[in-house]
Structure formats: C-alpha cells, structure tokens
Amino acid sequence: ALAGRRGTPRLLPALSARAARDRRAAALLRDVQLLAPARPSRIEDVAGPVGGGLDLALSDHEGGVFLCGWLRDPLGLVAGLALRGPGASHAVPLSALHRVARPDIAERFAQAPLGAAGPRAGFVAHLPGIDPAGTAQWRLALRFAGEGEAVLTAPPGLLPAATARDLVLRAVHPSAAAAELLDAVIMPPAAALHRAARRDAASGGPEVADFGAPPAQPRASLIVPLYRNLRFLRFQLAAFARDAECRRAELIYVLDSPEQRAEVEHLLRGMAVMLGIGVRLVVMPRNSGYASACNAGAAVAGAPALLFLNSDVLPAAPGWLGRMLARLARDRRLVAVGPRLLFEDGSIQHAGLLFRRGADGVWLNDHYCKGYPRRHPAARQARRVPAVTGAALLVHRTAFEQVDGFCTDYILGDFEDSDLCLKLREAGGEIAYEPAAELFHFERQSIALHDGHARTLAGTVNRRLHHGRWDGAIATLMARFPEA
C-alpha cells in the first residue's frame, strides 16, 4: 500500500501531525516518502522570468540539511525562500545561499529573452538543526514579491551516509571552493556524514583469514591496505618472497573493498602456496578509508614494529626492510622511519616529508627532493625530517598505540600520515629518513578509483582540517628545519 501514489497526498498530513510525538508515525512518514516519493520538479522555461531546480536536499544525519541547486531570477522577483517537508516549513534567507558557478545553467539560459542566468547561477547551503527527524524529501518554495510562489521538489535525500557525503563533496567544483564556502557550507555536513559513515562501518567488525604458515616471532608486521586496484599485488608478494627479511616478517593485507573478497582470497591462497609464505587477510565490513584499514591491520598484528605500505609500492631491491629496522633500532629517540621512494622513471618522489604554506596560507604536504635525480646528493643523506609519507612508514608499535593510531576523521585518504607523524612528535618522538631503503611508488593508483575522492573536495577538506589542528605545531616544527 505504501508503494502506491493514490492515497499518499491524504496520508502525509495525518502522519506529519503525529510524527513529532509518535515514533511509529515518524518512521511510517519516512517510509511513505521513500517508497512513494513525489516527482522532482524544476522551472526550466527559457522564456520565463524565473527558473530554478533543487538538485539535492540531503540529510546530514545530525539534524541538518544540505542544499544544492540553481536559481535564475533576472528581474528580481524572488523575495524569499521556504524549505518545506511534511508538517514542516523553514524560512531560508536568500543570503543563506552561497552562489557558485553552474556553466550548464549559464549556457542553457544564455539567450533567454528576459535575461541570462549569469555565471553564478548555482547555489549550495547548509541548514543545521532544522531536521531532527530525518525528512526523506524536501521542497523549496520561491516566494515572490507580490502574492504567489513556485515550488521546486528535490529527489529523496535520506541516503546512506557515505553516499550523501560523496555527493556533498562533489557539489562544488574545486576551483570554486573559497575558504568561506568550505568552512560554512561544505565541511560541516561532510564531517557529520563522515562520522555517520564511520558509525555504519563500525557495525560488524572485520574478518580475518590466514593463508600459509605465519613466521615465528616476526620483527615487523607489513600492513598493506587494498582498495580495488590489485594489479601490483602479485609483484609485491613476489618481491617480499625473495627478500630474507620480508620472509621473516608478518604479511597483512587489509581489503577495504569487501566485494572483492573471493578474488583476493583466491589470489592470496595460490601465491602463499607458490611462494611458500604466510599471508593474513583482514576484510573490512565495508569501505572505510585508509586510516581505518591501517588501524584494523595494526589491531591483528603481532610484531613490535609496524610497516604501513601502500599497495602500489614495490621494492627496488631486497634488503630495504632490514635497513629501515636497523635505523629505527640505532636511535632511541626515533619512533618512525621512512625510505627513499622513486617515481616510475627513477626520479625521486619522497626523501622525507616537509610542510609549506600554500598561497592561501594553509599548510600543505611536500616531499624533499621531489623530481630530482635518483642520486641527488641531498637525497643520499640519512637525517631526521619533519615527517614521512604513509606510503611506506615504519613505526614502533608502542608509539603507534600510544597516540591511538591513525586519525579516522580525514575522509578516505590524504593527511592521515602527516597527522600521525605530528601526533608522534607531540608525544616526544623523532622521525627519520633512510635513503639506503629504496622502493618505487606508483603514486595514487588506488585512491584514484574512489568516486568519493577523485574529482571531489575531499583533499581540500582534509587539508583544511589538518591545518586547523596543527597550524601552530607545524610552524614551530618547520622553524627547526630551515633548509626546507
């Protein structure tokens, strides 16, 4: 009965009246909206005096609503807005809409007889605290200066948290993301939805499968997150198998794309038999991002040293792990060590991580000697550095646990590694670069496949989150490294 449309208009007001005091009525109201939603509506007449569309009206899962749409009003007829749901109406000041570029709308109305839409026809807005019940579908009423109004209907917006988060991060092109818009409109709902997505992911914990015989008393646990891209896996395992130090290490792969479980288990089972090595597979219940995957791997690791390694990193030659472990053991103040990483053409990708301010004053991560020749003199010097990349990061297990591992507030990937290094430093540790350990890094091969990160504001949001937490600490730290 809920899926039919005939009785829905009469049912909604009755349910709305009871929803505030009756949980069952509130749940039924949500179900009616989801199972028999109103058709999305726009005003798209090129010859008309007003045009508009409400593309998204998303619950942020913490009582707020994120809006994304467009509005064309060349004659200034719209005097106010109201966001309406069953039994609810909220006035929305025009000033609450942050106007953004919408090239598609500008092109569509470029020749409109009453005036074009203008370059900033789009809008986004975040309205916190207006929707504690989680309304499934909203309408935006355009109130005219005289009497009358027009109504825009959004698609249903009560979506899974991770899906809604990714839509928020794609709502504005990165080139249009000014600081005020990011801080007021994008980051609050993205953070709320990311928290909700983490809560969803925490239900049901990871599962563990073992292939082959594990090493006895390993000195290091190698923890490799996997997400979709498996094309380096065979080569990485083969490189580990021909390195005596790696054969004595615990090998842990963490699968963050659980839909690939059967394929990965089949591959690891065969490789473990063929190479005579032991491999542990940790399968996340759902995609949770780099930090959560690394923390899950560390939780089942048994060695006193943890080596976090990207799935697109391949050793240049055997012996690299032993050299990193030796460096960590030589200096009692060291808690973490990173190797020299090379691009595919042999030039340097990483010889230690440093921080510098961008043109906007916000700190960003950079690498020493990036793009320089492999044998560049500065890249051949072992030294302490501000931080090292998480693409290949060796850390004392006790130090990692002391700072509660990787922070999971960052969305999917970016800045978790430098955040960890800064937490380790805050706890009193030092960090070093070891050039005698050398690996190739085929950079960003996995994260580029994630719709929630590629071509979205995720990296920009993470950078601002990182800056807000560590601005003062980074400024003090970089004063110690003037050569950067």
Side-chain angles (χ1 to χ4, degrees), residues 6 146 200:
R6 183 173 300 174
D200 293 343

Side-chain angles (χ1 to χ4, degrees), residues 14 70 83 92 117 137 168 171 176 247 293 296 310 318 366-367 375-376 378 383 405 434 454 476 479:
W70 60 276
L83 187 66
V92 179
Q137 191 171 27
V168 169
R247 291 187 72 90
N310 280 12
D366 201 356
H367 297 159
R375 303 305 177 191
H376 183 65
R383 63 190 185 280
E434 178 50 67
T476 301

Side-chain angles (χ1 to χ4, degrees), residues 220-242:
S221 296
L222 275 57
I223 299 168
V224 184
L226 290 173
Y227 178 76
R228 292 193 180 174
N229 190 349
L230 308 178
R231 64 191 182 96
F232 295 99
L233 183 52
R234 292 178 177 83
F235 303 104
Q236 193 178 65
L237 279 169
F240 293 162
R242 71 188 191 95

Side-chain angles (χ1 to χ4, degrees), residues 94-352:
L94 286 167
S95 59
L97 305 185
H98 291 247
R99 302 311 291 260
V100 296
R102 280 289 296 265
D104 58 328
I105 302 302
E107 181 179 0
R108 185 185 309 172
F109 290 92
Q111 305 300 322
L114 294 178
R120 294 164 65 85
F123 67 79
V124 289
H126 181 235
L127 309 175
I130 70 166
D131 185 32
T135 299
Q137 191 171 27
W138 291 97
R139 293 175 173 84
L140 185 65
L142 313 181
R143 294 174 175 169
F144 301 132
E147 292 186 3
E149 65 180 28
V151 177
L152 311 174
T153 304
L158 194 59
L159 302 177
T163 302
R165 176 199 63 199
D166 297 349
L167 287 171
V168 169
L169 294 172
R170 282 202 293 268
V172 178
H173 192 276
S175 64
E180 180 186 2
L181 183 146
L182 285 165
D183 293 341
V185 181
I186 300 298
M187 292 184 67
L193 288 163
H194 187 57
R195 286 190 291 271
R198 293 207 318 267
R199 291 193 295 270
D200 293 343
S203 59
E207 298 182 20
V208 178
D210 291 301
F211 308 97
Q217 297 183 325
R219 294 175 61 196
S221 296
L222 275 57
I223 299 168
V224 184
L226 290 173
Y227 178 76
R228 292 193 180 174
N229 190 349
L230 308 178
R231 64 191 182 96
F232 295 99
L233 183 52
R234 292 178 177 83
F235 303 104
Q236 193 178 65
L237 279 169
F240 293 162
R242 71 188 191 95
D243 186 322
E245 192 69 52
C246 290
R247 291 187 72 90
R248 292 192 292 271
E250 181 183 34
L251 303 182
I252 301 172
Y253 283 91
V254 184
L255 183 60
D256 202 28
S257 45
E259 67 276 6
Q260 294 177 297
R261 177 171 185 167
E263 179 184 3
V264 172
E265 285 189 346
H266 177 75
L267 191 154
L268 291 181
R269 186 178 293 109
M271 294 292 287
V273 171
M274 182 174 67
L275 298 173
I277 57 175
V279 183
R280 169 163 283 190
L281 177 65
V282 179
V283 182
M284 302 295 284
R286 55 182 58 83
N287 174 240
S288 304
Y290 171 85
S292 293
C294 286
N295 289 343
V300 302
L306 307 174
L307 189 284
F308 298 99
L309 196 70
N310 280 12
S311 62
D312 55 3
V313 171
L314 299 177
W320 61 277
L321 177 58
R323 297 183 186 108
M324 291 180 72
L325 287 166
R327 180 66 188 282
L328 194 62
R330 279 200 305 269
D331 186 339
R332 289 187 178 181
R333 292 203 63 189
L334 289 185
V335 294
V337 173
R340 173 161 45 182
L341 295 178
L342 306 173
F343 287 114
E344 188 174 1
D345 65 1
S347 62
I348 295 169
Q349 188 255 323
H350 170 270

Side-chain angles (χ1 to χ4, degrees), residues 19-44:
R21 61 182 186 276
D22 186 336
R23 286 186 178 183
R24 292 181 63 189
L28 186 57
L29 175 63
R30 180 200 61 209
D31 293 346
V32 168
Q33 287 190 288
L34 291 174
L35 291 169
R39 290 187 178 89
S41 63
R42 299 181 172 196
I43 306 171
E44 298 183 289

